[in-house]
Amino acid sequence: MSSPDPTHTPQPAPLTPAPLTPASPPPSDTDPARVSNQSGHSQAGSVSLGEAARAGRAARAGRAGGIHSLLATELAMLFRRWRTWAMLAALALIPMLIAIAIRIAGSSSPGRGPGFLDQIAGNGLFVGMTALVVAMPLFLPLTIAVVAGDTIAGEASLGTLRYLLIAPAGRLRLLVVKFAGAAVFCLVAALTVVIVGTLIGWALFPIGPVTLLSGGQVSVGEGLLRFLAIAAYVCVSLLGLSAIGLCLSTLTTVPVGAMAATAILAVSAQIAGAIPQLEWLHPWLFTDRWFDFADLLRSPPSWASFGENLLLQGAYLLVFGGLAAWRMVTKDVLS
C-alpha cells in the first residue's frame, strides 16, 4: 500500500451559486402604496387608496382616449356620488310638494304666489313651470354651487389633483372636462324639475292644451316641447354661475369655501338686481335674464331673450373661464 503524497493538497468543492431573486420594480406614480406614503404635503391631506385608484383610472382614461374618456370618467364619478342624487331628489321634491299642496288645498287666486300657480288646477303641465319659478332663485343655484365649487378644490383637498395631472390631457383640458361635467349637471337639474313636475301634474290634474301668455293655445305635444326649451334656457342661465364656481374652485383647497362663495354671489346678484337704484348695473349681472324664459310661452315664441341670455352667460364664461385657466396654468399643485 502506497503512502499519501505529502505534497498533495485537497481541492475545494465547487461553489453552487445562490438563486437570484427578481428585483422589485420601482413603484409607479399611480401605485397605491406610494400614493398613500407620499401625502406629506401640509395642504394636500392624506390620500385614501380609493381616491388614488380613482385618480389612476382618470389618468389611464386620459392616456387611452383623450378628452372624451376623461369626460366619461368625470360624469361617471359625478353621478355615482350619493350627494349628487340627494340634490336631484331635493329638486324633484319641489314640484311634488307644489302639486300635492294644490291638490289638497285647491287652486290659488290669480296673481297670488309664484308664476303659473293659478294654472295648475286646470292643467297639470304647469306644475313643472311653477317649480322652475320656485327653484330658480335659490335651490338650483345652490346645487350648481356645490357641484362647480367642488370641481378643482375637491380634488386638491383630497390630494388627487396631482395624480389626475399625470394624464397627458394637460391642465387646460382637465379644466374643460370639469366645466363640462358641471354644465351637464345644470341640464340634468333643470330637466329633473320639469320632467318630475310634468309627471306629477299629469297624475294629479287634468291635462289639456297649453294656454300661452299671449292668450292662444297650443297642443299638449307642442306645449311639452316648449317646456323642454325652457329647461334648456334655464341650463344656459346657470352656465355663468358654473364658470364663477369653477374659477373660485381653483383658488382654494377647501371645497366648502368655494361652494359657499358661489352661492353667496348668486344671492347677492339677485339682491342687486332687485334694487332700482342699481338699474345701471342690472344688464351686467349674470342673473339679469334668469326669468325671461316666459317669452317662450308666447305666440309666436320670442327667441331674442334666449340669444341675449346666451351672450350674457358666454361673457361670464369667457371672463371667469379665462381666470380659471390662468390660475390652473400657474397653480403649484404640489404646495
Side-chain angles (χ1 to χ4, degrees):
M1 183 176 63
S2 62
S3 61
D5 188 0
T7 62
H8 175 72
T9 59
Q11 299 295 326
L15 298 176
T16 303
L20 298 177
T21 57
S24 301
S28 63
D29 288 335
T30 57
D31 183 24
R34 183 177 182 181
V35 171
S36 60
N37 291 330
Q38 289 185 348
S39 56
H41 299 283
S42 59
Q43 296 180 354
S46 59
V47 182
S48 64
L49 294 179
E51 295 297 338
R54 181 169 71 93
R57 287 194 299 269
R60 289 191 296 271
R63 287 192 292 267
I67 193 169
H68 297 92
S69 297
L70 277 174
L71 180 58
T73 303
E74 176 68 20
L75 293 178
M77 291 186 295
L78 175 63
F79 288 100
R80 279 200 204 107
R81 294 173 177 169
W82 286 106
R83 180 184 65 192
T84 302
W85 290 104
M87 291 188 297
L88 293 177
L91 292 175
L93 194 60
I94 297 173
M96 296 175 64
L97 291 176
I98 293 174
I100 294 173
I102 296 298
R103 182 65 178 178
I104 295 175
S107 179
S108 63
S109 302
R112 297 186 60 187
F116 309 107
L117 185 65
D118 57 319
Q119 304 281 345
I120 293 177
N123 194 340
L125 294 179
F126 282 100
V127 173
M129 293 299 96
T130 305
L132 275 181
V133 174
V134 173
M136 196 61 184
L138 179 61
F139 297 103
L140 277 171
L142 184 61
T143 58
I144 300 307
V146 171
V147 173
D150 188 60
T151 48
I152 302 298
E155 302 289 356
S157 67
L158 293 172
T160 57
L161 181 58
R162 74 191 72 167
Y163 301 104
L164 289 174
L165 295 178
I166 293 174
R171 299 188 178 206
L172 294 182
R173 190 173 296 182
L174 177 63
L175 192 70
V176 170
V177 167
K178 290 292 185 179
F179 178 78
V184 170
F185 181 83
C186 291
L187 180 60
V188 172
L191 287 175
T192 298
V193 176
V194 173
I195 292 176
V196 173
T198 301
L199 293 177
I200 192 67
W202 204 308
L204 298 181
F205 302 100
I207 298 295
V210 177
T211 302
L212 303 177
L213 297 178
S214 55
Q217 287 188 338
V218 295
S219 64
V220 173
E222 184 178 345
L224 292 176
L225 289 178
R226 294 199 183 206
F227 292 161
L228 290 177
I230 290 174
Y233 184 98
V234 171
C235 173
V236 170
S237 299
L238 297 171
L239 292 181
L241 181 63
S242 299
I244 294 174
L246 180 70
C247 180
L248 294 176
S249 185
T250 63
L251 301 177
T252 180
T253 59
V254 182
V256 176
M259 298 174 191
T262 306
I264 290 173
L265 283 176
V267 175
S268 301
Q270 294 181 76
I271 294 175
I275 299 176
Q277 289 79 0
L278 298 178
E279 188 174 358
W280 59 271
L281 181 63
H282 294 174
W284 302 95
L285 298 174
F286 62 91
T287 58
D288 185 56
R289 299 285 181 175
W290 274 11
F291 292 96
D292 289 351
F293 57 78
D295 290 342
L296 298 179
L297 292 178
R298 303 185 187 278
S299 181
S302 176
W303 295 96
S305 58
F306 200 122
E308 293 171 357
N309 186 37
L310 185 61
L311 289 176
L312 178 63
Q313 305 304 325
Y316 272 86
L317 176 58
L318 287 177
V319 172
F320 286 93
L323 291 175
W326 173 80
R327 174 59 178 166
M328 278 295 290
V329 171
T330 60
K331 184 181 180 66
D332 181 11
V333 297
L334 298 179
S335 63

